[in-house]
Each structure stands twice: as C-alpha cells, then as structure tokens.
Amino acid sequence: MSGSLSVIGLGPGNPETLTPEAAAALEAADALYGYGPYLDRVPARAGQTRHASDNREEDARAAAALRHAAEGARVAMVSGGDPGVFAMAAAVCEQIESGDAAWRQLDVAVVPGITAMLAVAARVGAPLGHDFCAMSLSDNLKPWELIERRLAAAAGAGFVIALYNPISRARPWQLGKAFERLRQQLPPSTPVVFGRAVGREQETVLVSELEKADPSVADMATLIIVGSPMTRVIARPGRAPLVYTPRFVEDGK
Ligand code: SAH
C-alpha cells in the first residue's frame, strides 16, 4: 500500500505563520480533507481534489481520509493551529485504532503548527513563561463536572490555564461558570487575556482581570489565558501592557 496521510497544522490564520514544512506537505497532496473554512485558507493547486466537511463530522472525515489514503492516494488532512491540540490528529488515531486493520500500514505523518495559545501568548508578552496547562471547555466529549474539577485542580496547583473552545451557541453558560469556579480560588486581579481570531482580519486582543472578566467578550474563535497568582501586567505609557509569568517562583505561591 503506497498511500499516505499527513495531518497538517495551518497555524492560527496568517499565511506567514504556516511552516514551510506544512506548505510543502500541502503542495505534495493529491487530496485535501478538512473543515471548510480551514480548507479555504489553502491556495488551490491544479489536480488536487478538496473534500470539505462540517465542523461536527470529525470521525467521518477522518475515516474518509483514511479510506482514500488506503486506495493509494497522498491525502492531507488540515487543522487550524496544531493538529495535535484538540484537533484532527487524535481523531485520525482514534479511527486507526478502531477501524480497518489495513489503516495501520499507512504512512501517517503529523505536521505541527502554531497552536492558538502560543499565538495569543505572543501577542501580549509571556503569560506562559512558567508552568501552564491547556483545557478545552467543550463538554461535548467529556462531562462538565470533570471540567470543573480540572479547573479547580489546575488553579490550585498554580498553573496558568489556556482555555480552548470557551463558548459557542450550543454552550452559552460554560465560560461564565468556569470564571465563577476560578474566582473561588484565584485573586480578583488575576490577569485574563482574551485573544480573538489572532492572525486573522478580525483579530482582537483584550487584557482583563478575573474579577471583571466578561464571558460575552468571547466567541468560538477566542482563546483565553487565565493567569496564575504569579502572572503580572507591566503597564507601559502609550503602549499596550505586557502580561507575563516570571520563570521563578516566589515563596508561598
Ligand atoms: N487545533 C487548534 C485548536 C482547535 S480547538 C489549535 O491548535 O489552535 C478550537 C479553538 O481554538 C477555538 O475555540 C479557540 O479557542 C482556539 N483558536 C483557534 N484558532 C484561534 C485563533 N486564530 N485565535 C484565537 N483562538 C483560536
């Protein structure tokens, strides 16, 4: 079987942050699979077919791409950001583990991309400069109770927390609930960064505080970074503040 499947990260949105490795892998593919808006970011190439699918059809999309690769094609699956972060690389692995035994013989490559939390962190300074964790706030694939437990554990352990999938039309209250939970443990002045559509035309970045953090500022294209008790904001006259978490730990924090 000569087919292959590359699972490719497109980065946050701007073409400059697509890696040369990802660009070469996209160019080499016979067929592209992915969520429509992500596929739209890939320049067209003659002779390459495109198979767009809806956001919620990840299992079917992964299986279709694997079937196509098993027929001998060079298939590329695209993801926003990094394909291994709350995205298609894990969906592909799930299908390989449970699907056709022949899929285990395919040449599978994961091509990394700049994930949203790194793109947002870079806009404001260095909020991820010390220990941090990342969570998806979506309770589509895990129970809400578990999310609250993990938020509490992460805040209690002193991690900066990057929140992916903070809110959607189908999940309107979860982010407010998450802020409430975090307020029980973290100082009111804890910096909270909202980075929306970073690297795209509609980009907005807002630095707030946990006490005032307003869930309605966020949408599906927003990544939120909640600081730890060590995270600081450096005010700079006439310039945007710098948000950072020092590399060293102060006593008692
Ligand atoms: N694989 C992607 C994440 C997929 S989950 C990555 O590595 O970035 C989708 C979530 O990612 C969104 O709800 C949002 O929280 C975040 N996200 C993706 N692109 C973003 C961008 N350009 N700016 C801010 N957040 C983004």
Side-chain angles (χ1 to χ4, degrees):
M1 187 186 300
S2 59
S4 64
L5 178 60
S6 306
V7 195
I8 301 171
L10 299 179
N14 36 342
E16 305 81 53
T17 51
L18 180 82
T19 69
E21 184 187 21
L26 289 168
E27 176 70 26
D30 302 317
L32 298 180
Y33 282 73
Y35 175 45
Y38 293 147
L39 279 183
D40 292 344
R41 285 202 224 155
V42 181
R45 172 168 82 58
Q48 196 174 52
T49 60
R50 283 172 181 245
H51 309 261
S53 47
D54 189 78
N55 210 2
R56 285 174 295 261
E57 294 169 359
E58 291 173 343
D59 295 344
R61 182 193 307 150
L66 284 159
R67 271 196 299 277
H68 200 161
E71 289 164 15
R74 281 169 304 176
V75 176
M77 169 78 77
V78 300
S79 262
D82 181 89
V85 179
F86 307 124
M88 288 310 298
V92 165
C93 290
E94 287 161 18
Q95 292 300 316
I96 292 174
E97 189 172 18
S98 63
D100 190 334
W103 293 350
R104 296 186 185 220
Q105 300 307 318
L106 284 170
D107 193 2
V108 174
V110 178
V111 181
I114 296 176
T115 188
M117 70 176 173
L118 301 185
V120 172
R123 286 289 190 265
V124 297
L128 307 179
H130 192 73
D131 297 347
F132 66 89
C133 67
M135 285 181 59
S136 168
L137 267 200
S138 169
D139 54 358
N140 290 339
L141 300 172
K142 64 192 173 197
W144 178 253
E145 294 70 34
L146 177 64
I147 296 175
E148 282 207 23
R149 262 206 323 277
R150 286 186 180 161
L151 283 170
F159 288 118
V160 171
I161 308 170
L163 295 175
Y164 285 78
N165 295 312
I167 204 161
S168 74
R169 236 168 297 149
R171 297 181 291 104
W173 53 263
Q174 284 82 343
L175 179 59
K177 199 86 191 200
F179 284 150
E180 265 173 44
R181 186 69 195 76
L182 292 169
R183 283 186 194 111
Q184 292 173 18
Q185 271 166 289
L186 293 169
S189 62
T190 302
V192 177
V193 179
F194 293 86
R196 177 168 175 276
V198 165
R200 306 183 206 145
E201 256 170 46
Q202 317 78 5
E203 170 173 333
T204 49
V205 178
L206 172 78
V207 178
S208 182
E209 295 182 349
L210 186 55
E211 186 180 34
K212 300 185 226 154
D214 174 6
S216 71
V217 167
D219 65 6
M220 270 172 65
T222 306
L223 182 287
I224 298 168
I225 298 176
V226 180
S228 76
M230 289 164 53
T231 306
R232 305 166 191 212
V233 178
I234 308 174
R236 299 188 302 167
R239 290 176 180 275
L242 282 171
V243 182
Y244 87 110
T245 311
R247 294 163 300 153
F248 55 86
V249 179
E250 288 168 28
D251 282 348
K253 286 200 172 165

